[in-house]
Each structure stands twice: as structure tokens, then as C-alpha cells.
Amino acid sequence: MIRVLLADDQSLVRAGFHALLDAQPDIEVVGEAADGEEALRRVAEVRPDVVLMDIRMPLLDGLAATRRITEDDTLDGVKVVMLTTFELDEYVFEAIRAGASGFLVKDTEPDELLRAVRAVVEGDALLSPGVTRRLIAEFAARSKAPARAAGLAELTDREREVMALVGIGLSNEEIARRLVVSPLTAKTHVSRTMVKLGARDRAQLVVLAYESGLVRPGWLG
């Protein structure tokens, strides 16, 4: 079972997500929180696999709460997906840099939400299907100046190539087609690259691709 915690200050949003998720045979909602401080307490208590975290909440916002979760070694393995009302939320890229595994707009289609929850547990999540590659580049342009990421020199030429393709938003299947390899081979390259760079998931690999200068905003192919 995939254990999910819902953190949102709007009770109707929590109720809707709760009903949808709990109706799935492989997903269980193990808790709810109405603000960032409560979210931190509940995460420590129930240790969910995934936290659906509103980016704007009282007492402690979702960005700060996410950073606290991802920096806590005792909560290693807890994935955070940010929830936002608008795709062009100015804090989205900062949320990814803070350790979030991705984000979803609140009016996303039910099937997309379910796919995202299942995917993030596998480490394959990136961003909401409603978020375009243009948006990835837009927020990447606001990130800090490129600096060589620790471990980048350890990557093979193929792994650098794969990391760049991940950085422009390609899925494993799309990378496989681009490089004329099997999806399993593409996934293996992605996994090895993440291990070498110490990236906790695919979203952080995207951040590292931009921050290292391996990919620059505008390289959308």
C-alpha cells in the first residue's frame, strides 16, 4: 500500500483528494493536516510514503515544511509533491530545489493525480503533466548561476547525455527513443546517474542538470 498524507488548509480540497485516493486498492490516506506545522507533526507520527503538500498554508508554508522534511535524515524516503492553484506559481522551482519530488495543480485530472502518486514512489516523478517544458526552463532561468555539481566528473559521456535529456523534461521512454536504446537501459542510466550525484529523485536530477550548467534554459529540443 502507498501511504499518503494530505496537507492543505482547505478542508474541501482534502476531502476530495481523500475520497479519490482511498478508493484505490493500492493507496491509503493515513493522515491530514491543515497547516505546515501540523503537517510536520503528522509526517513524524505516521511516516507516509508521499505527502501532498499545499504550497501556501498558515503558520508554516509548504516550501518551509518541505525543506524541513527533506533535510531530516530520519524521514528519508518520504516524498513530497507540492500542490498549487496556478501552474505559474513563483515558488514552484524553489520547491523542487528544496527537495520536493514535483508538483501538481489542484485541478489536475483524477487519473493524473493517481499516476503522479504512484510514480513518485518509484522515483520517476517530475512535474505535473499540465506543466510544460517551457515552464521548467522558465523557473530554471531563475536558479542560481551554474556551478559544477559534485560527482559530475564521475559520469560517463552517456550518463551526461541522459542527464541532459532528463533536464529538458524527457521521460525514460522518450530518452530511449532519442538514444535508440531500450526503456530499461534508459532507466538504468538515469538510476546510475542519480546514485553518482546523490540525487534523491528525478526532480533533483533536473535541478542539478540546470545548476551545473549541463542544461541551459531554452534547450527544449
Side-chain angles (χ1 to χ4, degrees):
M1 293 290 287
I2 299 173
R3 306 172 73 251
V4 178
L5 177 76
L6 303 174
D8 194 296
D9 61 341
Q10 298 180 39
S11 58
L12 284 177
V13 171
R14 296 198 310 273
F17 282 6
H18 196 141
L20 173 65
L21 294 169
D22 255 0
Q24 308 307 307
D26 59 333
I27 300 175
E28 176 188 13
V29 176
V30 294
E32 296 185 12
D35 59 67
E37 292 287 359
E38 184 180 9
L40 291 177
R41 291 194 299 273
R42 296 293 287 146
V43 167
E45 290 170 2
V46 303
R47 304 297 175 96
D49 299 306
V50 180
V51 180
L52 295 182
M53 179 90 73
D54 187 11
I55 205 165
R56 292 186 175 91
M57 289 187 294
L59 300 184
L60 186 70
D61 65 39
L63 188 62
T66 296
R67 187 174 291 110
R68 297 254 297 266
I69 291 171
T70 59
E71 290 178 350
D72 188 338
D73 291 339
T74 66
L75 298 177
D76 185 40
V78 176
K79 305 289 188 179
V80 179
V81 175
M82 305 301 300
L83 299 172
T84 181
T85 305
F86 306 104
E87 289 182 354
L88 294 176
D89 194 303
E90 62 182 303
Y91 298 114
V92 166
F93 194 72
E94 287 302 314
I96 301 296
R97 290 182 61 191
S101 294
F103 78 98
L104 291 168
V105 288
K106 291 183 180 180
D107 63 353
T108 189
E109 292 296 322
D111 286 349
E112 292 180 354
L113 172 64
L114 296 173
R115 279 197 297 268
V117 169
R118 291 175 177 127
V120 77
V121 172
E122 299 298 324
D124 291 334
L126 178 56
L127 298 173
S128 168
V131 179
T132 65
R133 292 169 190 166
R134 177 193 57 76
L135 184 61
I136 298 174
E138 179 179 335
F139 283 102
R142 303 181 188 186
S143 67
K144 62 186 181 183
R148 305 304 286 180
L152 200 62
E154 297 180 20
L155 300 183
T156 65
D157 289 342
R158 177 46 62 92
E159 287 167 348
R160 286 170 183 257
E161 187 177 14
V162 167
M163 182 178 176
L165 294 175
V166 170
I168 64 173
L170 298 192
S171 67
N172 288 344
E173 290 74 18
E174 290 170 326
I175 291 172
R177 288 196 295 271
R178 182 76 67 93
L179 300 181
V180 195
V181 298
S182 72
L184 179 58
T185 297
K187 182 176 182 179
T188 298
H189 284 311
V190 172
S191 298
R192 287 177 178 170
T193 302
M194 287 170 54
V195 169
K196 288 183 178 181
L197 296 178
R200 59 183 280 139
D201 54 31
R202 197 180 187 94
Q204 280 201 332
L205 192 60
V206 172
V207 174
L208 289 173
Y210 281 107
E211 293 189 338
S212 67
L214 190 63
V215 176
R216 293 196 297 272
W219 288 10
L220 299 183

